[in-house]
Amino acid sequence: MLFRDDVTLPFAFRGGVAYAPLEFIVVGVDLNYSDWSQMDYEGRITDTEQGADGLERRHLYKETLGYGIGAEVTVPSWPLRLRGGYVSRPMAYNGLTVTRDRSYYTLGAGILIDTVLAVDVAWIKGSYEREDSDFAYYESVDESALIVEAAYRF
């Protein structure tokens, strides 16, 4: 083994609720809290730390509160469900200035074929920006994903 790193993940809490105002509509909300300042690690990844106790590193991370909201509509008399949503996932790293935090939009559809085969398609689009003016660093990221899934019921 060349090296070993031990990472301790922070306290995190996630919860959500869903509500169906009509028989064919479901709306959901999700909250996600993580205190990333509690993250700890030991091993070679600590070689570049300032200070033996890692206090410099602990100030580089902060707590975050993310959220998501979405809805699903079942098309009447069709085995089709249409979905859409938005999610905010703040970055925990304090080492760079975040000019636009991570946020994602989603669209999707699912269809049940012959009561045994379900096919789902989802499209995700998101972006964020961050910078460090002291080092003339700027980062702008646009992300997209297309997810196709099939499930067969026995």
Side-chain angles (χ1 to χ4, degrees), residues 62-136:
K62 63 182 177 182
E63 61 187 6
T64 61
L65 179 63
Y67 65 92
I69 184 166
E72 179 180 88
V73 176
T74 301
V75 178
S77 70
W78 281 73
L80 179 66
R81 293 185 175 140
L82 304 175
R83 303 175 187 107
Y86 171 80
V87 66
S88 170
R89 292 291 178 247
M91 286 184 258
Y93 183 65
N94 275 331
L96 298 170
T97 302
V98 176
T99 54
R100 188 176 73 224
D101 225 333
R102 292 184 300 187
S103 61
Y104 300 91
Y105 296 93
T106 65
L107 292 173
I111 189 165
L112 184 61
I113 302 169
D114 199 25
T115 69
V116 295
L117 178 64
V119 178
D120 290 286
V121 177
W123 176 69
I124 304 165
K125 175 75 174 157
S127 63
Y128 66 88
E129 292 179 5
R130 58 188 184 171
E131 65 184 349
D132 187 329
S133 56
D134 294 337
F135 295 100

Side-chain angles (χ1 to χ4, degrees), residues 31-94:
L31 291 174
N32 181 16
Y33 170 82
S34 297
D35 187 359
W36 291 99
S37 66
Q38 295 178 355
M39 187 172 68
D40 195 18
Y41 42 85
E42 295 179 15
R44 286 186 58 182
I45 56 178
T46 61
D47 289 347
T48 58
E49 276 182 34
Q50 294 180 6
D53 58 2
L55 292 177
E56 173 80 14
R57 166 182 40 96
R58 291 173 198 251
H59 294 292
L60 288 176
Y61 297 94
K62 63 182 177 182
E63 61 187 6
T64 61
L65 179 63
Y67 65 92
I69 184 166
E72 179 180 88
V73 176
T74 301
V75 178
S77 70
W78 281 73
L80 179 66
R81 293 185 175 140
L82 304 175
R83 303 175 187 107
Y86 171 80
V87 66
S88 170
R89 292 291 178 247
M91 286 184 258
Y93 183 65
N94 275 331

Side-chain angles (χ1 to χ4, degrees), residues 8-30:
T8 302
L9 296 178
F11 169 78
F13 173 80
R14 182 175 207 144
V17 296
Y19 174 66
L22 298 170
E23 186 177 311
F24 60 93
I25 297 176
V26 177
V27 178
V29 177
D30 173 73

